[in-house]
Amino acid sequence: MNKLSLALALLLPVCSCHEEQTIPVEIDVVLHIRDDNHTSPLLVTIENRTESASSFLWTFEGGEPATSAKENPGVVTFTAPGEHRITLEAWNDGDRASKTYTIRVDSAVTAAFRADVDINNYAPATYRITNLSSGGSSYRWTFEGGEPSSCEGQFPPAVTYAREGMYTICLTIDNGSATFTATQEIEVRESMAASFSIVPSFEDIDDMEAPLRATFDTRLQGVETLSWECAGAVITDNTSVNASAYFPSAGQYTVCLNVSNGKETKQVSQNITVKENTNLRTHKDIRLGINTARETIGSVYSTKLRRVFRTSEITGSNGSFIDLVFFGLNRSFSYNLFVSPDNAGTTALPDIPNALPTKFINKTELGTISLTSAQFEAMTTDALLRNMPILSADYGDEFFTDTPLPRVVLFETADGRKGAILVKEMVAGGTEDSYITADIKVQKND
């Protein structure tokens, strides 16, 4: 073997050994996206599983950072919606490789809306929804208690709520990889309703005669403004819930209440019948106790207040309203008379504070001024009383006993109202529960 052959023989094994030392680069990258949510900003964690590489060059299209030479670049942030490429180029002394991955970035989402009511929020209330969201690809609306109850789309229709209550509007937005929610609570106030009743004054409620005064018991719901009207009557403060009415003469009246809540108006009405004025008020079955029953039953009466007073109930405030004082000496009714309130103290009864005088004719059979029990029962107006002189001074301190019954006692109050008392019965019991029962007819003089 010559020298050249020997040299070639020695070189061939060396070349063969060098080719066997080349190691190929095998790129393997795993991209981790939390919850598979691609919404911007998208954070991608890079897991590099590449084998046999000693050098690396990363390119992150649209990412932050844009490039990296680290084997494991960590987390890369992408904000712009769309598709972005991640490229890894890796090499060693004998090999170089490159591989590109594509990721999708979905738009950032803002879920928001505004609900505006038409006119006001009294039921039925209509709300118009303004979508203030961005970045969504689909929209789902739910309207608790509304009509419609739900819909899809970026621009929902107007929603109507028929009944009062608190309701929730919910918007759910999808951008392809995640959902986002916004809610708002709205209030719907009560629907409008109105009713009322006519309440005659205390002076008129017992006979409903003209002139009649009344107030209104009003029940309102969802009402902003109101007004009263009634042909033939006088309404005071006619835009107030505290209005009052004056009906000057007999007849049939219709009182109307107009109400509004700003978007609807209603009218409700009530009728009232006012009778002809008899100028006579009747008090039936009044019990007045003898003097020892003044605290258990009561011995004094007010025709204005229409009630009996026990002694302990008489005050400086109500004393001037008392116009009838009955004094019964004992339970055998051997001595009885009606006495002027300002003279109550001349009997066994106590003085009445602020008392006013009343004239009485206790025993009409002693003179020429009289009214029979039959005439009393037949009285429907004050015609008999109107021109009857009540001159108690002409009769002295007359009293009556338990016979005859029934009997009529005439009187005239300090304010000029004339009247008659029909003593119907005398009930004998104990000292504290003996009394007379009487009907009273007296002028009103309204």
mmCIF file of all heavy atoms in Angstrom, residues 407-445:
data_model
loop_
_atom_site.group_PDB
_atom_site.id
_atom_site.type_symbol
_atom_site.label_atom_id
_atom_site.label_comp_id
_atom_site.label_asym_id
_atom_site.label_seq_id
_atom_site.Cartn_x
_atom_site.Cartn_y
_atom_site.Cartn_z
ATOM 1 N N ARG A 407 -145.178 63.015 78.934
ATOM 2 C CA ARG A 407 -145.397 64.449 79.094
ATOM 3 C C ARG A 407 -144.347 65.192 78.268
ATOM 4 O O ARG A 407 -143.281 64.661 77.940
ATOM 5 C CB ARG A 407 -145.336 64.872 80.542
ATOM 6 C CG ARG A 407 -143.983 64.865 81.168
ATOM 7 C CD ARG A 407 -143.914 65.708 82.460
ATOM 8 N NE ARG A 407 -145.028 65.447 83.359
ATOM 9 C CZ ARG A 407 -145.973 66.347 83.621
ATOM 10 N NH1 ARG A 407 -145.948 67.541 83.030
ATOM 11 N NH2 ARG A 407 -146.942 66.079 84.484
ATOM 12 N N VAL A 408 -144.701 66.439 77.921
ATOM 13 C CA VAL A 408 -143.822 67.271 77.092
ATOM 14 C C VAL A 408 -143.285 68.427 77.923
ATOM 15 O O VAL A 408 -144.054 69.121 78.611
ATOM 16 C CB VAL A 408 -144.568 67.806 75.849
ATOM 17 C CG1 VAL A 408 -143.668 68.754 75.058
ATOM 18 C CG2 VAL A 408 -145.034 66.656 74.970
ATOM 19 N N VAL A 409 -141.972 68.640 77.845
ATOM 20 C CA VAL A 409 -141.300 69.786 78.452
ATOM 21 C C VAL A 409 -140.746 70.643 77.321
ATOM 22 O O VAL A 409 -140.089 70.122 76.401
ATOM 23 C CB VAL A 409 -140.172 69.339 79.402
ATOM 24 C CG1 VAL A 409 -139.391 70.553 79.915
ATOM 25 C CG2 VAL A 409 -140.735 68.530 80.558
ATOM 26 N N LEU A 410 -141.031 71.941 77.365
ATOM 27 C CA LEU A 410 -140.559 72.863 76.324
ATOM 28 C C LEU A 410 -139.303 73.588 76.795
ATOM 29 O O LEU A 410 -139.112 73.825 77.999
ATOM 30 C CB LEU A 410 -141.653 73.874 75.982
ATOM 31 C CG LEU A 410 -142.968 73.284 75.454
ATOM 32 C CD1 LEU A 410 -144.007 74.381 75.294
ATOM 33 C CD2 LEU A 410 -142.742 72.559 74.144
ATOM 34 N N PHE A 411 -138.433 73.968 75.839
ATOM 35 C CA PHE A 411 -137.208 74.691 76.219
ATOM 36 C C PHE A 411 -136.736 75.566 75.078
ATOM 37 O O PHE A 411 -137.119 75.398 73.913
ATOM 38 C CB PHE A 411 -136.107 73.722 76.646
ATOM 39 C CG PHE A 411 -135.567 72.850 75.528
ATOM 40 C CD1 PHE A 411 -134.459 73.247 74.766
ATOM 41 C CD2 PHE A 411 -136.152 71.624 75.232
ATOM 42 C CE1 PHE A 411 -133.958 72.458 73.767
ATOM 43 C CE2 PHE A 411 -135.651 70.818 74.214
ATOM 44 C CZ PHE A 411 -134.554 71.230 73.482
ATOM 45 N N GLU A 412 -135.863 76.514 75.423
ATOM 46 C CA GLU A 412 -135.184 77.369 74.440
ATOM 47 C C GLU A 412 -133.756 77.560 74.920
ATOM 48 O O GLU A 412 -133.513 77.998 76.053
ATOM 49 C CB GLU A 412 -135.877 78.720 74.280
ATOM 50 C CG GLU A 412 -135.220 79.590 73.212
ATOM 51 C CD GLU A 412 -135.959 80.898 72.971
ATOM 52 O OE1 GLU A 412 -137.080 81.071 73.494
ATOM 53 O OE2 GLU A 412 -135.396 81.768 72.273
ATOM 54 N N THR A 413 -132.790 77.224 74.058
ATOM 55 C CA THR A 413 -131.374 77.275 74.431
ATOM 56 C C THR A 413 -130.844 78.700 74.366
ATOM 57 O O THR A 413 -131.502 79.617 73.845
ATOM 58 C CB THR A 413 -130.531 76.384 73.500
ATOM 59 O OG1 THR A 413 -130.629 76.893 72.169
ATOM 60 C CG2 THR A 413 -131.023 74.942 73.530
ATOM 61 N N ALA A 414 -129.657 78.894 74.880
ATOM 62 C CA ALA A 414 -129.038 80.221 74.905
ATOM 63 C C ALA A 414 -128.829 80.779 73.504
ATOM 64 O O ALA A 414 -128.820 81.998 73.314
ATOM 65 C CB ALA A 414 -127.713 80.163 75.654
ATOM 66 N N ASP A 415 -128.633 79.909 72.496
ATOM 67 C CA ASP A 415 -128.442 80.383 71.123
ATOM 68 C C ASP A 415 -129.757 80.454 70.344
ATOM 69 O O ASP A 415 -129.759 80.560 69.116
ATOM 70 C CB ASP A 415 -127.420 79.525 70.375
ATOM 71 C CG ASP A 415 -127.807 78.054 70.335
ATOM 72 O OD1 ASP A 415 -128.881 77.685 70.853
ATOM 73 O OD2 ASP A 415 -127.009 77.248 69.779
ATOM 74 N N GLY A 416 -130.893 80.399 71.057
ATOM 75 C CA GLY A 416 -132.185 80.657 70.429
ATOM 76 C C GLY A 416 -132.842 79.474 69.769
ATOM 77 O O GLY A 416 -133.832 79.651 69.031
ATOM 78 N N ARG A 417 -132.378 78.264 70.002
ATOM 79 C CA ARG A 417 -133.026 77.089 69.417
ATOM 80 C C ARG A 417 -134.132 76.608 70.355
ATOM 81 O O ARG A 417 -133.893 76.330 71.525
ATOM 82 C CB ARG A 417 -131.997 75.978 69.192
ATOM 83 C CG ARG A 417 -130.971 76.302 68.113
ATOM 84 C CD ARG A 417 -129.889 75.240 67.992
ATOM 85 N NE ARG A 417 -129.087 75.157 69.205
ATOM 86 C CZ ARG A 417 -128.981 74.072 69.960
ATOM 87 N NH1 ARG A 417 -129.665 72.968 69.658
ATOM 88 N NH2 ARG A 417 -128.221 74.074 71.041
ATOM 89 N N LYS A 418 -135.321 76.472 69.794
ATOM 90 C CA LYS A 418 -136.456 76.009 70.583
ATOM 91 C C LYS A 418 -136.614 74.503 70.407
ATOM 92 O O LYS A 418 -136.330 73.961 69.334
ATOM 93 C CB LYS A 418 -137.732 76.718 70.157
ATOM 94 C CG LYS A 418 -137.699 78.219 70.401
ATOM 95 C CD LYS A 418 -138.956 78.896 69.874
ATOM 96 C CE LYS A 418 -138.870 80.415 70.078
ATOM 97 N NZ LYS A 418 -140.067 81.103 69.542
ATOM 98 N N GLY A 419 -137.107 73.850 71.482
ATOM 99 C CA GLY A 419 -137.242 72.413 71.399
ATOM 100 C C GLY A 419 -138.251 71.880 72.392
ATOM 101 O O GLY A 419 -138.809 72.614 73.220
ATOM 102 N N ALA A 420 -138.490 70.569 72.290
ATOM 103 C CA ALA A 420 -139.429 69.892 73.173
ATOM 104 C C ALA A 420 -138.840 68.554 73.583
ATOM 105 O O ALA A 420 -138.175 67.883 72.789
ATOM 106 C CB ALA A 420 -140.769 69.695 72.472
ATOM 107 N N ILE A 421 -139.114 68.197 74.861
ATOM 108 C CA ILE A 421 -138.656 66.920 75.410
ATOM 109 C C ILE A 421 -139.891 66.085 75.705
ATOM 110 O O ILE A 421 -140.786 66.536 76.434
ATOM 111 C CB ILE A 421 -137.853 67.131 76.707
ATOM 112 C CG1 ILE A 421 -136.684 68.101 76.475
ATOM 113 C CG2 ILE A 421 -137.356 65.799 77.257
ATOM 114 C CD1 ILE A 421 -136.046 68.601 77.757
ATOM 115 N N LEU A 422 -139.924 64.891 75.130
ATOM 116 C CA LEU A 422 -141.020 63.974 75.422
ATOM 117 C C LEU A 422 -140.513 62.944 76.428
ATOM 118 O O LEU A 422 -139.723 62.054 76.089
ATOM 119 C CB LEU A 422 -141.498 63.269 74.152
ATOM 120 C CG LEU A 422 -142.639 62.263 74.345
ATOM 121 C CD1 LEU A 422 -143.916 62.981 74.777
ATOM 122 C CD2 LEU A 422 -142.879 61.444 73.079
ATOM 123 N N VAL A 423 -140.941 63.101 77.692
ATOM 124 C CA VAL A 423 -140.559 62.144 78.727
ATOM 125 C C VAL A 423 -141.470 60.929 78.565
ATOM 126 O O VAL A 423 -142.684 61.010 78.811
ATOM 127 C CB VAL A 423 -140.692 62.756 80.136
ATOM 128 C CG1 VAL A 423 -140.288 61.736 81.192
ATOM 129 C CG2 VAL A 423 -139.841 64.026 80.240
ATOM 130 N N LYS A 424 -140.886 59.805 78.151
ATOM 131 C CA LYS A 424 -141.690 58.634 77.793
ATOM 132 C C LYS A 424 -141.864 57.665 78.948
ATOM 133 O O LYS A 424 -142.923 57.050 79.099
ATOM 134 C CB LYS A 424 -141.041 57.904 76.621
ATOM 135 C CG LYS A 424 -140.942 58.758 75.364
ATOM 136 C CD LYS A 424 -140.487 57.954 74.158
ATOM 137 C CE LYS A 424 -139.072 57.429 74.318
ATOM 138 N NZ LYS A 424 -138.612 56.726 73.094
ATOM 139 N N GLU A 425 -140.825 57.503 79.752
ATOM 140 C CA GLU A 425 -140.917 56.548 80.848
ATOM 141 C C GLU A 425 -139.951 56.932 81.957
ATOM 142 O O GLU A 425 -138.985 57.671 81.748
ATOM 143 C CB GLU A 425 -140.620 55.132 80.357
ATOM 144 C CG GLU A 425 -139.207 54.941 79.814
ATOM 145 C CD GLU A 425 -138.909 53.503 79.408
ATOM 146 O OE1 GLU A 425 -139.663 52.613 79.833
ATOM 147 O OE2 GLU A 425 -137.929 53.289 78.684
ATOM 148 N N MET A 426 -140.268 56.434 83.146
ATOM 149 C CA MET A 426 -139.406 56.603 84.306
ATOM 150 C C MET A 426 -139.079 55.213 84.831
ATOM 151 O O MET A 426 -140.003 54.457 85.189
ATOM 152 C CB MET A 426 -140.088 57.453 85.372
ATOM 153 C CG MET A 426 -140.345 58.880 84.921
ATOM 154 S SD MET A 426 -141.135 59.877 86.207
ATOM 155 C CE MET A 426 -141.144 61.488 85.428
ATOM 156 N N VAL A 427 -137.822 54.880 84.862
ATOM 157 C CA VAL A 427 -137.381 53.535 85.221
ATOM 158 C C VAL A 427 -136.798 53.591 86.627
ATOM 159 O O VAL A 427 -135.756 54.207 86.872
ATOM 160 C CB VAL A 427 -136.351 52.994 84.228
ATOM 161 C CG1 VAL A 427 -135.899 51.596 84.644
ATOM 162 C CG2 VAL A 427 -136.925 52.983 82.818
ATOM 163 N N ALA A 428 -137.504 52.961 87.574
ATOM 164 C CA ALA A 428 -137.069 52.962 88.969
ATOM 165 C C ALA A 428 -136.178 51.760 89.232
ATOM 166 O O ALA A 428 -136.577 50.611 89.027
ATOM 167 C CB ALA A 428 -138.281 52.931 89.891
ATOM 168 N N GLY A 429 -134.937 52.029 89.655
ATOM 169 C CA GLY A 429 -134.001 50.982 90.044
ATOM 170 C C GLY A 429 -133.373 51.360 91.365
ATOM 171 O O GLY A 429 -134.051 51.868 92.271
ATOM 172 N N GLY A 430 -132.106 51.175 91.480
ATOM 173 C CA GLY A 430 -131.398 51.604 92.673
ATOM 174 C C GLY A 430 -131.096 53.086 92.608
ATOM 175 O O GLY A 430 -131.454 53.789 91.654
ATOM 176 N N THR A 431 -130.409 53.572 93.601
ATOM 177 C CA THR A 431 -130.096 55.000 93.627
ATOM 178 C C THR A 431 -129.150 55.418 92.501
ATOM 179 O O THR A 431 -129.122 56.590 92.126
ATOM 180 C CB THR A 431 -129.450 55.361 94.982
ATOM 181 O OG1 THR A 431 -128.287 54.543 95.171
ATOM 182 C CG2 THR A 431 -130.429 55.141 96.126
ATOM 183 N N GLU A 432 -128.413 54.479 91.987
ATOM 184 C CA GLU A 432 -127.444 54.828 90.936
ATOM 185 C C GLU A 432 -127.872 54.347 89.557
ATOM 186 O O GLU A 432 -127.128 54.516 88.587
ATOM 187 C CB GLU A 432 -126.071 54.236 91.277
ATOM 188 C CG GLU A 432 -125.455 54.854 92.524
ATOM 189 C CD GLU A 432 -124.058 54.327 92.788
ATOM 190 O OE1 GLU A 432 -123.624 53.397 92.074
ATOM 191 O OE2 GLU A 432 -123.390 54.859 93.697
ATOM 192 N N ASP A 433 -129.039 53.728 89.427
ATOM 193 C CA ASP A 433 -129.458 53.278 88.105
ATOM 194 C C ASP A 433 -130.943 53.534 87.851
ATOM 195 O O ASP A 433 -131.598 52.789 87.136
ATOM 196 C CB ASP A 433 -129.129 51.795 87.897
ATOM 197 C CG ASP A 433 -129.734 50.903 88.961
ATOM 198 O OD1 ASP A 433 -130.451 51.420 89.825
ATOM 199 O OD2 ASP A 433 -129.478 49.682 88.912
ATOM 200 N N SER A 434 -131.468 54.625 88.420
ATOM 201 C CA SER A 434 -132.832 55.062 88.108
ATOM 202 C C SER A 434 -132.747 56.214 87.117
ATOM 203 O O SER A 434 -131.904 57.121 87.256
ATOM 204 C CB SER A 434 -133.556 55.512 89.383
ATOM 205 O OG SER A 434 -133.736 54.416 90.264
ATOM 206 N N TYR A 435 -133.622 56.218 86.116
ATOM 207 C CA TYR A 435 -133.492 57.199 85.043
ATOM 208 C C TYR A 435 -134.832 57.400 84.342
ATOM 209 O O TYR A 435 -135.765 56.602 84.483
ATOM 210 C CB TYR A 435 -132.439 56.754 84.034
ATOM 211 C CG TYR A 435 -132.737 55.419 83.384
ATOM 212 C CD1 TYR A 435 -133.487 55.357 82.210
ATOM 213 C CD2 TYR A 435 -132.283 54.224 83.938
ATOM 214 C CE1 TYR A 435 -133.778 54.132 81.611
ATOM 215 C CE2 TYR A 435 -132.558 53.008 83.356
ATOM 216 C CZ TYR A 435 -133.306 52.966 82.188
ATOM 217 O OH TYR A 435 -133.598 51.759 81.593
ATOM 218 N N ILE A 436 -134.887 58.475 83.553
ATOM 219 C CA ILE A 436 -136.001 58.690 82.634
ATOM 220 C C ILE A 436 -135.510 58.433 81.215
ATOM 221 O O ILE A 436 -134.310 58.540 80.923
ATOM 222 C CB ILE A 436 -136.573 60.112 82.750
ATOM 223 C CG1 ILE A 436 -135.529 61.159 82.300
ATOM 224 C CG2 ILE A 436 -137.073 60.404 84.161
ATOM 225 C CD1 ILE A 436 -136.086 62.575 82.159
ATOM 226 N N THR A 437 -136.445 58.078 80.331
ATOM 227 C CA THR A 437 -136.141 57.934 78.910
ATOM 228 C C THR A 437 -136.939 58.981 78.153
ATOM 229 O O THR A 437 -138.154 59.123 78.382
ATOM 230 C CB THR A 437 -136.501 56.539 78.394
ATOM 231 O OG1 THR A 437 -135.795 55.561 79.146
ATOM 232 C CG2 THR A 437 -136.133 56.400 76.928
ATOM 233 N N ALA A 438 -136.276 59.706 77.268
ATOM 234 C CA ALA A 438 -136.932 60.816 76.583
ATOM 235 C C ALA A 438 -136.500 60.877 75.124
ATOM 236 O O ALA A 438 -135.388 60.466 74.762
ATOM 237 C CB ALA A 438 -136.608 62.130 77.281
ATOM 238 N N ASP A 439 -137.406 61.413 74.292
ATOM 239 C CA ASP A 439 -137.068 61.825 72.936
ATOM 240 C C ASP A 439 -137.006 63.336 72.931
ATOM 241 O O ASP A 439 -137.753 64.010 73.673
ATOM 242 C CB ASP A 439 -138.114 61.351 71.931
ATOM 243 C CG ASP A 439 -138.116 59.839 71.749
ATOM 244 O OD1 ASP A 439 -137.130 59.189 72.161
ATOM 245 O OD2 ASP A 439 -139.109 59.303 71.214
ATOM 246 N N ILE A 440 -136.130 63.897 72.098
ATOM 247 C CA ILE A 440 -135.943 65.353 72.048
ATOM 248 C C ILE A 440 -136.041 65.790 70.589
ATOM 249 O O ILE A 440 -135.432 65.186 69.709
ATOM 250 C CB ILE A 440 -134.582 65.765 72.630
ATOM 251 C CG1 ILE A 440 -134.424 65.263 74.063
ATOM 252 C CG2 ILE A 440 -134.394 67.283 72.561
ATOM 253 C CD1 ILE A 440 -132.996 65.365 74.588
ATOM 254 N N LYS A 441 -136.812 66.850 70.354
ATOM 255 C CA LYS A 441 -136.837 67.484 69.047
ATOM 256 C C LYS A 441 -136.485 68.956 69.245
ATOM 257 O O LYS A 441 -137.080 69.640 70.089
ATOM 258 C CB LYS A 441 -138.208 67.343 68.396
ATOM 259 C CG LYS A 441 -138.525 65.891 68.015
ATOM 260 C CD LYS A 441 -139.832 65.759 67.234
ATOM 261 C CE LYS A 441 -140.057 64.291 66.849
ATOM 262 N NZ LYS A 441 -141.303 64.090 66.074
ATOM 263 N N VAL A 442 -135.491 69.431 68.459
ATOM 264 C CA VAL A 442 -134.970 70.775 68.672
ATOM 265 C C VAL A 442 -134.611 71.388 67.327
ATOM 266 O O VAL A 442 -134.211 70.693 66.380
ATOM 267 C CB VAL A 442 -133.746 70.752 69.615
ATOM 268 C CG1 VAL A 442 -132.619 69.927 69.053
ATOM 269 C CG2 VAL A 442 -133.269 72.168 69.953
ATOM 270 N N GLN A 443 -134.783 72.697 67.236
ATOM 271 C CA GLN A 443 -134.411 73.404 66.012
ATOM 272 C C GLN A 443 -132.899 73.308 65.780
ATOM 273 O O GLN A 443 -132.100 73.293 66.710
ATOM 274 C CB GLN A 443 -134.814 74.854 66.104
ATOM 275 C CG GLN A 443 -136.325 75.106 66.057
ATOM 276 C CD GLN A 443 -136.627 76.591 66.221
ATOM 277 O OE1 GLN A 443 -136.111 77.240 67.125
ATOM 278 N NE2 GLN A 443 -137.497 77.106 65.364
ATOM 279 N N LYS A 444 -132.530 73.293 64.493
ATOM 280 C CA LYS A 444 -131.105 73.302 64.140
ATOM 281 C C LYS A 444 -130.584 74.713 63.964
ATOM 282 O O LYS A 444 -129.460 75.034 64.351
ATOM 283 C CB LYS A 444 -130.870 72.480 62.867
ATOM 284 C CG LYS A 444 -131.162 71.010 63.015
ATOM 285 C CD LYS A 444 -130.756 70.233 61.797
ATOM 286 C CE LYS A 444 -131.592 70.558 60.586
ATOM 287 N NZ LYS A 444 -131.272 69.715 59.416
ATOM 288 N N ASN A 445 -131.413 75.565 63.305
ATOM 289 C CA ASN A 445 -131.044 76.968 63.049
ATOM 290 C C ASN A 445 -129.673 77.073 62.389
ATOM 291 O O ASN A 445 -128.830 77.886 62.776
ATOM 292 C CB ASN A 445 -131.063 77.793 64.351
ATOM 293 C CG ASN A 445 -132.483 78.007 64.862
ATOM 294 O OD1 ASN A 445 -133.455 77.690 64.179
ATOM 295 N ND2 ASN A 445 -132.601 78.550 66.065
#
